[in-house]
Amino acid sequence: MAEQVQVFGFWESAFSRRVELALKLKGIEYQYFEEDLPHNKSHLLLQYNPIHKKVPVLVHNGKPISESLVILEYIDENWTTNPLLPQHPHDRAVARFWAKFIDDKVVVAVVKAAGSKGEEREKAVEEAGEALGALEKELGSRMLFGGERVGFVDVVGSVIVGWVPAIEECFGFEVLRSDKFPNLMKWSEEVAKHGVVKEILPPKHEIVAFMEANWKF
């Protein structure tokens, strides 16, 4: 019996796009269901994710998994070809740490900056800069966090590649600067030109247009 892999996502969501990116990198076929998040969530989404009622949700042979980082680990454990996480336990732990760091520190601070003004925005931009500085140091001279190929942290970090620049443009502030973060900027360019990433990430102008129309703070 063929495996059934389904993804419930939303085109503008960096979190659901990273799930698709992981599946594509591993060559896993899946059925995609686009959710109308701003207006009308489907009954299947509410059934499969009754706690948070949000995307992404991966449904594998009828069994749902939610939360993007959890889903990514499940994908990597279940389909072992083209591994995203390193093989050594310590390296795997380090990758998990930085993936969570991106969501908890970088994303939170950037979204906070978008939703604030004045001194509050300045503080949020400073927090985002400090978080990016830590990532800059961790990356060092490597082209990718995953080494020679796109790995777990690179997939999670696609939010920095595709969405942070769009948020900056939409809300009129700058945090991801080449003079401060040359390693991250080179990394971002390397990730962005990857064939699978180009296929999955939406164009910047489309993200900006959606934010302008729907992100109300």
Side-chain angles (χ1 to χ4, degrees):
M1 181 179 177
E3 287 188 302
Q4 184 183 50
V5 182
Q6 300 169 313
V7 175
F8 290 78
F10 179 57
W11 74 269
E12 197 270 343
S13 168
F15 303 100
S16 64
R17 289 288 182 161
R18 66 175 51 153
V19 170
E20 290 190 83
L21 180 54
L23 290 170
K24 287 282 188 179
L25 286 168
K26 285 179 169 286
I28 306 302
E29 294 186 4
Y30 62 93
Q31 185 179 13
Y32 178 76
F33 295 89
E34 174 73 7
E35 288 291 328
D36 184 10
L37 284 193
H39 307 101
N40 186 29
K41 297 177 182 179
S42 73
H43 74 279
L44 282 176
L45 175 63
L46 300 179
Q47 173 187 324
Y48 287 135
N49 191 2
I51 304 299
H52 296 301
K53 303 178 176 63
K54 63 182 183 179
V55 298
V57 175
L58 176 78
V59 182
H60 183 209
N61 293 333
K63 297 180 179 180
I65 305 121
S66 57
E67 296 299 306
S68 66
L69 294 185
V70 176
I71 294 171
L72 292 182
E73 290 211 40
Y74 177 86
I75 290 171
D76 207 36
E77 291 176 4
N78 194 72
W79 294 283
T80 56
T81 57
N82 301 324
L84 299 175
L85 280 163
Q87 296 304 302
H88 192 279
H90 178 266
D91 294 338
R92 293 169 71 88
V94 170
R96 291 186 180 104
F97 172 86
W98 287 109
K100 193 170 188 303
F101 181 88
I102 289 171
D103 280 358
D104 291 351
K105 298 297 183 181
V106 177
V107 173
V108 169
V110 170
V111 172
K112 182 180 177 182
S116 59
K117 295 181 179 179
E119 291 184 3
E120 187 177 352
R121 170 171 286 182
E122 290 179 5
K123 182 179 179 181
V125 168
E126 183 179 349
E127 291 173 358
E130 290 175 355
L132 289 170
L135 276 176
E136 172 84 2
K137 184 177 179 180
E138 171 64 19
L139 177 61
S141 61
R142 290 176 292 170
M143 291 300 294
L144 296 167
F145 284 98
E148 296 182 355
R149 62 184 180 185
V150 173
F152 192 80
V153 180
D154 303 297
V155 170
V156 174
S158 61
V159 66
I160 299 172
V161 178
W163 281 263
V164 170
I167 293 173
E168 290 178 319
E169 179 177 324
C170 185
F171 293 95
F173 63 89
E174 186 178 24
V175 62
L176 191 60
R177 294 167 45 180
S178 58
D179 59 330
K180 286 191 173 183
F181 312 111
N183 297 335
L184 281 176
M185 294 302 291
K186 291 178 182 177
W187 162 82
S188 181
E189 292 172 1
E190 187 71 16
V191 174
K193 71 182 184 182
H194 190 283
V196 175
V197 176
K198 287 196 293 186
E199 179 185 352
I200 294 298
L201 263 60
K204 177 183 174 182
H205 71 274
E206 292 184 4
I207 302 175
V208 171
F210 177 85
M211 289 177 179
E212 289 176 341
N214 294 278
W215 280 35
K216 308 298 183 183
F217 292 105

